[in-house]
Amino acid sequence: MNRVVVVGAGVLGLTVAHELAVAGHRVHVVADRAARDSVSAVAAAIWFPHAVALEPDVLESSRVTYDRLTKLADDPATGVVMRSGLVRVRRAETDLSWTSAVPWHEPVAEGVRCTVPVVETSRYLSWLGARVAALGVSTTWGTVSLPGRQGAEALPAAVAAIIGEQPDAVVVAAGLRSGALLGGDDEVYPIRGQVVRLANPGLTEWVTDEDNPGGLTYVVPRTDDVVCGGTGQIGDRDETIDPATEEAILRRVRELVPALADQPVLSRAVGLRPARTNRRLEMIGELVACYGHGGSGFTLSWGDAARVAELLG
Ligand SMILES: Cc1cc2nc3c(=O)[nH]c(=O)nc-3n(C[C@H](O)[C@H](O)[C@H](O)COP(=O)(O)OP(=O)(O)OC[C@H]3O[C@@H](n4cnc5c(N)ncnc54)[C@H](O)[C@@H]3O)c2cc1C
């Protein structure tokens, strides 16, 4: 049994902590933001590989996650719900390889209809945090930083300074700030996403329209609201709500789903998706990198967590 420290308490950090604890490791999470205050809480969060390169191992992780989330949907306490909807396809060259992971999907005139897991983030992240704690994972709130210009080799000592014990291995699942913990990573960049949440008029079906001429558009109904998006602003780090962007989102989603016309705004949010040329999942000495999931952190979470557990043996 190894002492493994996971840096990060977003959906990746918590899911990795879960799988490592199940595999028998002694796991400690270190983070400076709880999941409810991280990018993970802003996500829609529908199972769909978005803003991530569709490499074979990414598809495999998304398949594993699809199956896992489908099982979790049997228990209402998890906040995972299976919902049908439409992926609008406007370009002939659109990559549809993700459909291989989806048991029910059907081509239709506007795109692909399918059934996928939708994760209601606030319920799910609380459930996951409680599961992880029940497995004996401990958590320390604090910021890990590498003093001066030190490289990744200084990370175990930096973590030890916070938890008071030398780890056998460290998993970096710190989203957008992961590169800084590994001595720098030029390939990481933010993709800004703005959403507005409306009251749900009784919708159960979702719709995504990535190539809408007005910009990325999606409508994801949840139990208590409907997540309406969005934006995919590459390199933009502005975390404040832009009212003009919200107006434009509302116009597009109401055109797509007229039932949303008179629904009041319940809340709004912005999140910076932690994107990378390719999401990083590899062992570097006694460190494991697990970040850069772009718009697919939930979609890849269980598959990638299982692979981290495999890497650590
Ligand atoms: C608008 C929007 C819609 C989205 N929709 C979807 C969707 O439908 N489906 C989907 O799969 N994904 C979606 N995503 C993407 C998804 O939210 C992200 O991929 C995912 O949340 C990334 O999770 P993470 O755990 O890597 O990072 P985060 O959630 O950002 O968590 C990072 C964690 O690391 C900690 N941390 C970072 N640096 C340090 C440090 N130095 N010291 C200590 N702690 C540190 C933070 O405190 C935090 O706990 C969406 C994102 C946005 C913004």
Side-chain angles (χ1 to χ4, degrees):
M1 186 158 82
N2 285 319
R3 158 69 72 182
V4 184
V5 171
V6 179
V7 183
V11 66
L12 266 308
L14 290 180
T15 316
V16 165
H18 185 285
E19 293 301 77
L20 289 175
V22 166
H25 297 285
R26 283 194 301 141
V27 185
H28 199 118
V29 170
V30 178
D32 55 10
R33 285 192 195 185
R36 64 176 174 279
D37 301 319
S38 69
V39 179
S40 299
V42 179
I46 189 168
W47 179 99
F48 188 76
H50 169 72
V52 69
L54 287 176
E55 306 289 340
D57 69 317
V58 166
L59 284 173
E60 179 53 25
S61 261
S62 66
R63 189 173 294 121
V64 170
T65 308
Y66 186 105
D67 292 345
R68 193 66 178 261
L69 291 174
T70 301
K71 289 196 183 89
L72 292 177
D74 288 340
D75 177 1
T78 61
V80 183
V81 187
M82 300 302 289
R83 290 198 191 276
S84 299
L86 171 71
V87 177
R88 282 206 68 166
V89 178
R90 293 178 185 259
R91 288 182 299 120
E93 69 275 19
T94 301
D95 186 347
L96 297 178
S97 53
W98 56 269
T99 53
S100 66
V102 179
W104 184 77
H105 61 273
E106 179 179 73
V108 292
E110 305 103 307
V112 180
R113 281 189 54 75
C114 53
T115 301
V116 300
V118 172
V119 177
E120 304 210 351
T121 46
S122 58
R123 195 165 308 154
Y124 179 73
L125 292 170
S126 308
W127 170 84
L128 185 56
R131 278 282 303 153
V132 163
L135 287 168
V137 174
S138 45
T139 301
T140 300
W141 301 110
T143 302
V144 182
S145 50
L146 300 185
R149 289 176 173 272
Q150 296 194 59
E153 65 284 352
L155 187 56
V159 161
I162 292 181
I163 66 165
E165 198 180 351
Q166 190 67 24
D168 297 306
V170 179
V171 180
V172 177
L176 202 52
R177 288 183 287 150
S178 297
L181 298 175
L182 293 167
D185 180 347
D186 295 343
E187 294 184 51
V188 186
Y189 58 93
I191 303 181
R192 181 180 182 277
Q194 182 167 333
V195 296
V196 49
R197 304 177 189 116
L198 301 180
N200 191 342
L203 299 178
T204 54
E205 296 228 336
W206 50 267
V207 52
T208 65
D209 188 7
E210 288 201 12
D211 296 314
N212 187 303
L216 169 67
T217 306
Y218 52 86
V219 172
V220 180
R222 306 192 293 192
T223 309
D224 301 322
D225 58 12
V226 184
V227 185
C228 300
T231 64
Q233 296 155 282
I234 294 173
D236 191 334
R237 290 182 178 270
D238 186 356
E239 291 187 77
T240 56
I241 307 282
D242 176 38
T245 301
E246 183 173 305
E247 283 276 302
I249 291 172
L250 287 172
R251 233 184 350 263
R252 294 201 303 277
V253 298
R254 285 172 174 156
E255 204 173 291
L256 210 57
V257 184
L260 293 172
D262 299 319
Q263 296 306 303
V265 172
L266 299 183
S267 61
R268 33 179 73 90
V270 170
L272 305 182
R273 299 177 183 91
R276 194 174 183 273
T277 327
N278 286 298
R279 71 95 170 74
R280 193 172 188 192
L281 181 50
E282 63 176 329
M283 196 132 187
I284 313 155
E286 60 202 10
L287 310 177
V288 180
C290 180
Y291 64 93
H293 293 80
S296 303
F298 285 83
T299 307
L300 302 178
S301 55
W302 288 102
D304 278 11
R307 296 198 41 218
V308 170
E310 266 168 44
L311 287 173
L312 286 175

